[in-house]
């Protein structure tokens, strides 16, 4: 099965490539990250609708799936440059996935110019887990909280959790 999926990574059909990537997400290991990484630049898109979905187009970039799979397979700190580069992608769905593995410096740079509130939220949450950019992440979440969209609700929830965790640490320490 693995040999077939390796061959499918270079298939002409973008949907076949995406299915092979999803197979690697479920069955691959650390060593497979190197065969997945080149697909982060795959220009293909495929129809990702289920038979119950509405008839409008649901074009999904193969590179988006590749970023998700690479984030799952890679070792700590590996392929960071690939994720950093993907933060500049024109598709906001790809930029969201790039936040899964980009460096703190690239995330901070993108946070400063990102126009989409959902992408800013994902970047800020990504920065919260590290030592670099934590203050900027909290500030970005504070700004996002001032709305009525899903990013505002999510930002408020994360800020509440951060406040509870900080309070608990003060009580314990």
């Amino acid at each position: 099965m693995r040999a077939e999926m390796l061959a499918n990574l270079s298939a002409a059909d973008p949907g076949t490539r995406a299915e092979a990537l999803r197979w690697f997400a479920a069955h691959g290991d650390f060593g497979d990250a190197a065969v997945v990484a080149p697909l982060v630049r795959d220009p293909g898109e495929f129809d990702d609708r289920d038979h119950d979905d509405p008839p409008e187009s649901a074009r999904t970039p193969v590179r988006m799936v590749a970023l998700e799979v690479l984030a799952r397979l890679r070792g700590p700190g590996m392929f960071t440059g690939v994720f950093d580069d993907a933060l500049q992608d024109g598709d906001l769905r790809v930029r969201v996935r790039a936040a899964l593995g980009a460096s703190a410096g690239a995330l901070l740079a993108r946070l400063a110019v990102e126009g989409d509130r959902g992408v800013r939220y994902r970047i800020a949450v990504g920065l919260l887990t590290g030592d670099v950019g934590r203050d900027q992440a909290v500030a970005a979440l504070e700004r996002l909280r001032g709305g009525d969209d899903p990013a505002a609700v999510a930002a408020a929830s994360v800020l509440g959790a951060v406040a509870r965790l900080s309070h608990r640490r003060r009580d314990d320490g």
Side-chain angles (χ1 to χ4, degrees):
M1 184 67 148
R2 185 177 194 288
E4 179 185 346
M5 291 300 122
L6 279 170
N8 285 350
L9 288 175
S10 59
D13 175 51
T16 301
R17 294 192 304 272
E19 285 305 313
L21 284 166
R22 289 177 174 152
W23 183 89
F24 276 101
H27 304 288
D29 60 30
F30 175 78
D32 293 319
V35 297
V36 167
L39 278 93
V40 169
R41 291 191 172 86
D42 188 315
E45 293 185 344
F46 63 100
D47 191 342
D48 203 17
R49 289 180 294 165
D50 291 330
H51 46 52
D52 295 334
D53 288 342
E56 72 265 1
S57 177
R59 304 303 295 170
T60 300
V62 172
R63 62 192 184 279
M64 183 184 87
V65 177
L67 283 164
E68 292 172 348
V69 175
L70 186 59
R72 182 181 175 110
L73 297 178
R74 73 187 180 111
M78 293 183 66
F79 298 99
T80 303
V82 172
F83 288 93
D84 289 356
D85 291 345
L87 278 174
Q88 305 309 315
D89 197 278
D91 189 314
L92 70 94
R93 299 168 298 170
V94 173
R95 293 193 308 273
V96 164
R97 280 16 174 244
L100 295 170
S103 67
L107 289 171
L108 285 168
R110 187 67 207 183
L111 185 60
V113 298
E114 179 58 53
D116 183 82
R117 289 175 54 84
V119 177
R120 285 198 318 261
Y121 166 77
R122 292 293 294 262
I123 290 172
V125 168
L127 286 167
L128 276 178
T129 61
D131 295 329
V132 177
R134 194 175 195 312
D135 292 340
Q136 292 95 327
V138 170
L141 290 169
E142 290 284 355
R143 286 189 299 276
L144 286 170
R145 181 167 53 178
D148 60 356
D149 60 346
V153 174
S157 177
V158 170
L159 286 168
V162 168
R164 286 189 298 278
L165 182 61
S166 295
H167 182 69
R168 191 174 315 144
R169 284 184 180 161
R170 280 193 303 267
D171 289 347
D172 292 343

